[in-house]
Amino acid sequence: EKIKGVLTDIGFGLAARPEDADLIVFNTCAVREHAEQRVFGNVGALKGLKEANPKLLIAVSGCMAQQKEIVEKFKKHYPFVDIVFGVNGIDTLPDILCEKLATRKRVLRMPAERGEIIEDMPIRRDSTFRAWLPIMYGCDNFCSYCIVPYVRGRERSRASADILREFRQLVAEGYKDITLLGQNVNSYGKGLPEDITFAALLRMLDAVPGDYRIRFMTSHPKDATRELIDTIANSAHISRHLHLPVQSGSNSILAQMNRKYTVEDYLSLIAYAKRRMPEMTYSSDIIVGFPGETEEDFRTTYDFLEGLKPAFLHIFPFSERPGTPAVDMPGKVQPSVATRRVAELEELCGRLHGAFCAKAVGSEDTVLFESTLRGGMMFGYTGSYCRVKAPYDRTRINAICRVRFGAMDESHDLMGDILD
C-alpha cells in the first residue's frame, strides 16, 4: 500500500493487467523458500513482455531484496530487471525511478539498514473498511529458523503520538477493522525515549471513540504479558482473539528453535486469559519437520494442540533459510515424513475449527460484513474470525452488525440472522 501510495503521489495510475503497465513492482517475502521460488518464477515469466516492450520497467522490492546474494542473482541472471530496492527504501522510490530514467542504467541497491522510521509516506489502501497500521519494525529474537532479523533489522518502534494520529484518522475515515502490525508487537516501545509498553499503547488507542475493532499481529509468547491480557479484557474495541504462535509443542524443539519459553509458560498465559475472558479464542502457528524433530516430538505437539483446541492453526513445513543457525543443525527430517506430519495436523486443524464453529450455533456476536457471494448472500467475520453468511443487504456491507448464528454448513461457515 505504501509502494502504491508513493507511486500514485508522483503521477502513476494502477494498471489492470501487466501488459498495460509501464512499471511492474514485485513486493517480496523471504520467510519461506517457496515464496522466493514463486518470485523468481513470476519475474522470469515477464522476460517476453520486456522483450516486446523495452520501455517497461521491472522492479523487485521487499525482504528478498535485503539479501546481498539475492541482489547478485537478479544482477547476474535477470538482466531484464531494472530496479532492486529493499524494504527500507520505499520512500526513495521516486529518486530511484529518476535515476533509472536519467541514466538508462539498472539501479540495483545493495541492502543497507536504516535506523530511522520514515513517517507521513503517502499510502493507497486496498480496502475501505480494513486497515493495516504498522507500530514497529524489525526483530531482536533471532529464532534459529528465521531470516526476519537479518532482512528486517533490529527492532524499531514508532512514537506513540504518530501511531495515535494515524489511528484517529483511520477511525475518522470509517475504517472498522484496524490491525496493528509488527514482527513482534509485544516488544513495542523498546528503545523509545518515552516509557511505554504495547499494553499501554493499546489502552491509548482503545480510548478513541468510534465503531471499530482493533487486532494485532504478530505476538511472541515470551513477551506476551498478563498486563496485555488484562488490557484486552478491560477494553471496548480490542478483539477477543489472540494469535499466539507456539511453533512446537515439544520443549526440546522449542529450545533448539531459540524461542525462549516452554510449553508450560505458554499454557500458563492461555489459562490466565481463559480465566479473565472465557469468550477468548486462540489461534497459533506450527512448524513441522524442524531439524531433530522425532516422531515422539511430533506426537507431543499433536497431543498438545488437541488439548489446547485452538480455533485455527497455520501449519508450515520447516523451510531452510541460508544464513540461519537451523541450516547447520543435525537431524534433518525427510520431506516425506514432514509431508505426512503436515497432513495429520491439517486434519486435526479441520476438526478443531469445525468444533469451534459448531459451538457458536445458537449464540450471538458482532459480524463485520465485507463482501457479497453468489446466490444473494454476503459474508463477514466475527471478532474471533468465524466466517458468517447472511442474506445480502447493501446497507450492511462494511458495517458491524449484531447477528444470531444458525446452522453451520459443510465449509464450517455459520448462517446468520441480523438482529439490529
Side-chain angles (χ1 to χ4, degrees):
E1 292 178 340
K2 287 181 178 178
I3 290 172
K4 287 191 293 186
V6 166
L7 291 173
T8 55
D9 197 49
I10 61 173
F12 279 86
L14 294 178
R17 306 180 308 151
E19 293 79 7
D20 300 329
D22 300 305
L23 169 66
I24 298 174
V25 184
F26 288 87
N27 185 33
T28 66
C29 175
V31 170
R32 285 177 289 279
E33 182 182 18
H34 179 64
E36 288 193 356
Q37 294 309 316
R38 285 182 60 200
V39 170
F40 288 125
N42 284 319
V43 171
L46 294 182
K47 183 178 180 181
L49 201 59
K50 178 78 169 185
E51 291 172 348
N53 178 17
K55 291 184 179 181
L56 170 66
L57 298 180
I58 300 174
V60 177
S61 181
C63 287
M64 282 179 63
Q66 291 292 122
Q67 301 173 84
K68 292 181 180 179
E69 64 274 16
I70 296 294
V71 178
E72 289 294 339
K73 185 171 181 176
F74 278 117
K75 182 178 181 180
K76 184 176 180 179
H77 299 292
Y78 295 80
F80 54 92
V81 171
D82 301 281
I83 296 168
V84 177
F85 64 101
V87 294
N88 297 320
I90 296 175
D91 61 304
T92 68
L93 185 51
D95 294 331
I96 292 173
L97 287 168
C98 285
E99 180 181 341
K100 166 62 186 174
L101 294 172
T103 65
R104 304 195 179 199
K105 295 180 180 179
R106 304 170 77 192
V107 184
L108 308 180
R109 295 282 170 89
M110 296 303 290
E113 187 170 337
R114 293 170 66 187
E116 77 273 26
I117 292 175
I118 307 300
E119 295 287 351
D120 300 319
M121 266 196 284
I123 186 166
R124 179 162 177 158
R125 300 191 183 274
D126 289 329
S127 172
T128 58
F129 64 90
R130 177 176 290 127
W132 311 97
L133 177 54
I135 64 170
M136 54 90 69
Y137 303 91
C139 184
D140 290 349
N141 288 308
F142 290 92
C143 300
S144 61
Y145 55 82
C146 188
I147 194 67
V148 168
Y150 304 96
V151 296
R152 287 298 224 174
R154 305 307 291 268
E155 291 175 355
R156 307 175 312 282
S157 296
R158 295 178 65 191
S160 63
D162 292 326
I163 297 171
L164 180 61
R165 175 171 46 82
E166 187 173 351
F167 185 86
R168 287 185 182 278
Q169 182 178 349
L170 290 171
V171 173
E173 291 174 357
Y175 284 90
K176 303 293 187 184
D177 197 299
I178 303 172
T179 301
L180 311 181
L181 294 179
Q183 273 70 46
N184 179 16
V185 291
N186 298 131
S187 61
Y188 170 80
K190 188 163 57 176
L192 284 177
E194 57 180 315
D195 184 16
I196 187 168
T197 65
F198 180 52
L201 176 70
L202 283 175
R203 292 192 291 270
M204 182 186 302
L205 300 181
D206 182 60
V208 175
D211 182 24
Y212 60 87
R213 289 176 183 158
I214 298 174
R215 304 186 191 273
F216 54 85
M217 60 186 300
T218 296
S219 288
H220 195 296
K222 79 176 180 62
D223 298 315
T225 63
R226 294 193 174 197
E227 180 193 9
L228 171 64
I229 301 301
D230 291 338
T231 297
I232 298 172
N234 297 328
S235 71
H237 301 97
I238 304 173
S239 175
R240 266 54 169 179
H241 174 81
L242 182 62
H243 182 69
L244 195 62
V246 67
Q247 305 300 9
S248 176
S250 164
N251 281 334
S252 64
I253 296 299
L254 288 175
Q256 292 179 72
M257 288 178 169
N258 194 35
R259 292 291 284 174
K260 299 185 177 71
Y261 58 85
T262 65
V263 169
E264 291 75 21
D265 296 331
Y266 187 95
L267 290 175
S268 176
L269 184 70
I270 295 294
Y272 180 76
K274 286 182 176 179
R275 290 196 300 271
R276 292 290 279 115
M277 291 168 286
E279 75 279 16
M280 188 84 156
T281 60
Y282 311 90
S283 57
S284 193
D285 296 347
I286 293 289
I287 294 175
V288 176
F290 188 81
E293 183 186 68
T294 65
E295 193 64 26
E296 182 181 359
D297 290 320
F298 173 70
R299 297 260 67 93
T300 299
T301 295
Y302 188 100
D303 294 342
F304 163 78
L305 293 170
E306 199 167 34
L308 183 67
K309 293 181 173 53
F312 307 93
L313 275 176
H314 303 282
I315 305 160
F316 307 100
F318 169 69
S319 179
E320 284 194 351
R321 301 285 72 210
T324 62
V327 170
D328 300 318
M329 287 183 175
K332 297 291 190 290
V333 176
Q334 290 296 318
S336 59
V337 174
T339 299
R340 187 259 301 165
R341 291 175 182 174
V342 167
E344 284 194 47
L345 286 186
E346 286 179 341
E347 187 276 334
L348 174 63
C349 176
R351 282 197 288 111
L352 292 175
H353 181 59
F356 164 71
C357 292
K359 288 194 300 185
V361 172
S363 66
E364 298 176 9
D365 201 352
T366 56
V367 176
L368 173 57
F369 286 103
E370 301 182 6
S371 190
T372 59
L373 295 167
R374 292 179 180 176
M377 303 294 285
M378 60 184 180
F379 77 89
Y381 291 89
T382 66
S384 56
Y385 285 117
C386 257
R387 186 167 133 129
V388 179
K389 297 174 181 174
Y392 175 72
D393 180 344
R394 180 178 57 83
T395 65
R396 304 291 187 169
I397 297 294
N398 298 354
I400 297 176
C401 308
R402 191 78 188 172
V403 177
R404 178 181 292 115
F405 306 129
M408 181 180 71
D409 66 17
E410 65 279 359
S411 301
H412 300 152
D413 292 341
L414 295 167
M415 303 309 295
D417 294 316
I418 297 176
L419 302 177
D420 57 7

